[in-house]
Amino acid sequence: MLMGRLFTVSLIGVLLLHSCTVSLALSSSNFTDLSALLAFKSEIKIDPNNILGSNWTETENFCNWVGVSCSRRRQRVTALSLRNMGLQGTISPHVGNLSFLVKFDLYNNSFHGHLIPEIGHLRRLVVLNMHRNLMEGAIPTSLHQCQKLEGIDLHANNLTAGNIPLYISNCSQLKYIQLPLNQFSGPVPTSLGQLEHLQELDLEINQLTSQSDSLELSFLTSLTRCRSLEKLYISGNPLNGLLPVSIGNLSSSLQDFVAYSCQIKGPIPKEIGSLRNLNQLDLSENNMTGSIPSTIKGMKSLQSLSSLNLSHNSFWGPIPESFRELITLDYMDLSHNNISGSIPKSMVALSHLQYLNLSFNNLSGEIPSEGPFANFTAASFVENEALCGLPIFQGAFKSFEAECKVLARVRHRNLVRVISSCSNPELRAVVLQYMPNGSLEKWLYSHNYCLNLFQRVSIMVDVALALEYLHHGQSEPVVHCDLKPSNVLLDDDMVAHVGDFGIAKILVEKKSTTQTKTLGTLGYIAPEYGLEGRVSTRGDIYSYGIMLLEMLTRKKPTDDMFVGEFYVVAAQDHLLEIMELGLECSKEFPEERIDIKDVVVKLNKIKVQIIATHLE
Ligand SMILES: *[C@@H]1O[C@H](CO)[C@@H](O)[C@H](O)[C@H]1NC(C)=O
Ligand SMILES: *[C@@H]1O[C@H](CO)[C@@H](O)[C@H](O)[C@H]1NC(C)=O
Ligand SMILES: *[C@@H]1O[C@H](CO)[C@@H](O)[C@H](O)[C@H]1NC(C)=O
Ligand SMILES: *[C@@H]1O[C@H](CO)[C@@H](O)[C@H](O)[C@H]1NC(C)=O
Ligand SMILES: *[C@@H]1O[C@H](CO)[C@@H](O)[C@H](O)[C@H]1NC(C)=O
Ligand SMILES: *[C@@H]1O[C@H](CO)[C@@H](O)[C@H](O)[C@H]1NC(C)=O
Ligand SMILES: *[C@@H]1O[C@H](CO)[C@@H](O)[C@H](O)[C@H]1NC(C)=O
Ligand SMILES: *[C@@H]1O[C@H](CO)[C@@H](O)[C@H](O)[C@H]1NC(C)=O
Ligand SMILES: *[C@@H]1O[C@H](CO)[C@@H](O)[C@H](O)[C@H]1NC(C)=O
Ligand SMILES: *[C@@H]1O[C@H](CO)[C@@H](O)[C@H](O)[C@H]1NC(C)=O
Ligand SMILES: *[C@@H]1O[C@H](CO)[C@@H](O)[C@H](O)[C@H]1NC(C)=O
Ligand SMILES: *[C@@H]1O[C@H](CO)[C@@H](O)[C@H](O)[C@H]1NC(C)=O
């Protein structure tokens, strides 16, 4: 009995003792969170709107503090979310004591210093967001203890200290890894392939490389194990390798593959066609070669490819016929490659197309005029580095419109080809006629090029024919307004084409002059044009005259303009005649200048004489 009572008492004692420790534990945990939060606050040196200063007061339960969330039952801190507050300071290591923390989000503040290793104590952490802060140093090794971590966003910090840690792949629940705009270097760890739940990997703009022992981007092969991968961003890293064939084994849920400016070499493996749900493929600004695989059409599916950017590489060969199947495509940029052949007529089926850029390639042939092409505004410009689409890209939309209007109506062998109307200003495509020999300016002013007398005269005949057409060939005369050697382009056969109608004026109703505020190029503009803004066809004649004189004077002493096939003596007569013609064109008073029709006649005569001399 006594034994029994004693036992009962001690049992009660044990129970009491037990409940005592439980309540002690509770309040001490609750105290731990409070002191951790206070320690966190004390490390914040600048709080521009005094939010924490006024709100985080000890008189109030910390669970009601701004940015703090607690578990309901235990009143432990589960989230600390202080976004866009302009807070400056370091992160207190006491944060590691918030052992129930699930979400730690300091997006868009100015926290600096190192990521504290104590973060590794946060075993329940699911989201870590330090996007847009000024953190430095490495990702702490302790992070691998965060077994529940699903998202790590360290976007736009200043994290350095070498590699992306291998052990990051021990956080087996990771779905989002966002590390862009830091300074990570070294190889992309292949261990990332262990993250079977990975949905998004963003490593853009770091200093990451491929595995040093391999020419292929082997980490891409390892990522084929991430069966849920949807978004892969690796742009702006000196990866310098080949795309592996295994790229086709990347997750079939892959939607975005963005890898511009990565020094990727070699061809696009045809296996890429297996990525059926790809929505965005950007391999621009790499060193890729080979032909564009026709399998890219494989990507078509219900919500598939809408943006394809292969620009700024060295792809060659034709645009695959299969592209007609990319019916959901909105954007296509194939500019700056070595693509040849004609634009497949079947591409008129691409009804979604809003942007098409094929400039700086070697395309030839007819440009389709139906389907989306019917709505493309920006006609054909020149494909010369110095000149590509000047009227568009020099920034003046007005000027682009002007060119569009003019180009829409003119068609001539010696004018840069026009492809379509300008009905819809939203749609802009530049489909360029390739001018393999570049601009006349290049031929006149760079040391590696020279033109003989016959070529010079032929070019000036071509330009005169273009002007004759502009001035007299249609119901309303068109004044070019900016005639100069850089606006004259030479095709394969050295036939000249006049381009850049950026400031061209249409003289409506046969009025012979009009006023303008847009200036031509100094040196070539007629005096009356420069002084009073009076535009007339005579102004073009002036510019033409200046060019004609320039054609004679721009020559190097070593130039073979007068030697070889042409006798100096015979050439002298022609030179004088041409010089005279040039002077007649560039007379000071507009009315004294010769008409372009007469220029054509005279220059053609000279051209014939040169040929005759040559045959003698
Ligand atoms: C702190 O902010 C929270 C949430 O905005 C608010 O509910 C609470 O009343 C504030 N407390 C104080 C003391 O200002
Ligand atoms: C601390 O815990 C007790 C109960 O254990 C609770 O009543 C109190 O509100 C908590 N304090 C804070 C600041 O969360
Ligand atoms: C970042 O926070 C500041 C306020 O501190 C705000 O003005 C700014 O718009 C935020 N920027 C972004 C991108 O969220
Ligand atoms: C909280 O964290 C700090 C820094 O890591 C540590 O020194 C301290 O012992 C911790 N306090 C408690 C109550 O756990
Ligand atoms: C980034 O870190 C480097 C040193 O690692 C430092 O020189 C630089 O000022 C930091 N940049 C910013 C924006 O904090
Ligand atoms: C982390 O992963 C590595 C392999 O990548 C393994 O050797 C190690 O045991 C893991 N550590 C923990 C704590 O899980
Ligand atoms: C990769 O895909 C090819 C088919 O394209 C298949 O034959 C091969 O077994 C796949 N490899 C792996 C490792 O899944
Ligand atoms: C394609 O990529 C180039 C280079 O990266 C970029 O300048 C261009 O804007 C991109 N085109 C489109 C349509 O996004
Ligand atoms: C990539 O091509 C550019 C231009 O052709 C060249 O300057 C650069 O060295 C190349 N890079 C590599 C890694 O081959
Ligand atoms: C087309 O591409 C070229 C070369 O990449 C670029 O310079 C030009 O701005 C692009 N045109 C348009 C309208 O975007
Ligand atoms: C362009 O492609 C043609 C074949 O279509 C090839 O002969 C030529 O060498 C290529 N040029 C460059 C610069 O890659
Ligand atoms: C072209 O534009 C016209 C009117 O702007 C529009 O009705 C038509 O649907 C467009 N065609 C295509 C293929 O986008």
Side-chain angles (χ1 to χ4, degrees), residues 23 26-27 30-31 34 60-63 70 74-76:
S23 74
L26 259 179
S27 58
N30 161 329
F31 176 75
L34 174 63
E60 178 111 22
N61 180 339
F62 62 71
C63 292
C70 291
R74 298 211 231 188
Q75 295 281 292
R76 299 298 306 270

Side-chain angles (χ1 to χ4, degrees), residues 312 333 335-336 355 357 359-360 388 392-393 428 430:
H312 293 268
D333 193 341
S335 63
H336 263 293
Y355 179 94
N357 195 339
S359 63
F360 294 91
C388 170
I392 299 191
F393 313 121
R428 287 203 191 186
V430 188

Side-chain angles (χ1 to χ4, degrees), residues 221 224-225 227 245-250 271 274:
T221 305
T224 60
R225 286 187 282 162
R227 305 313 304 171
V245 165
S246 61
I247 194 156
N249 294 42
L250 280 172
E271 285 76 8
S274 309

Side-chain angles (χ1 to χ4, degrees), residues 60-96:
E60 178 111 22
N61 180 339
F62 62 71
C63 292
N64 296 333
W65 289 358
V66 66
V68 177
S69 309
C70 291
S71 55
R72 240 187 309 154
R73 202 162 50 83
R74 298 211 231 188
Q75 295 281 292
R76 299 298 306 270
V77 175
T78 53
L80 187 53
S81 177
L82 302 166
R83 298 165 67 93
N84 306 314
M85 287 188 179
L87 304 174
Q88 290 180 34
T90 53
I91 296 174
S92 162
H94 287 76
V95 164

Side-chain angles (χ1 to χ4, degrees), residues 348-354 370-376 423-425 427:
V348 301
L350 304 185
S351 54
H352 280 234
L353 214 53
Q354 288 179 36
E370 307 134 62
F373 292 91
N375 282 358
F376 278 145
S423 53
N424 186 346
L427 295 182

Side-chain angles (χ1 to χ4, degrees), residues 240 263 265 286-287:
N240 190 10
Q263 298 173 20
K265 298 182 283 203
N286 281 297
N287 289 30

Side-chain angles (χ1 to χ4, degrees), residues 31 65 134 169 171 226 231 253 312 340 342 409 468 478 542 606 614:
F31 176 75
W65 289 358
L134 304 167
S169 49
C171 305
C226 307
K231 294 168 195 287
S253 19
H312 293 268
S340 56
S342 54
R409 47 209 304 179
E468 187 190 28
V478 172
Y542 180 92
I606 296 172
H614 179 54

Side-chain angles (χ1 to χ4, degrees), residues 314 316-317 338 340 362:
S314 302
W316 49 267
N338 184 14
S340 56
N362 285 320

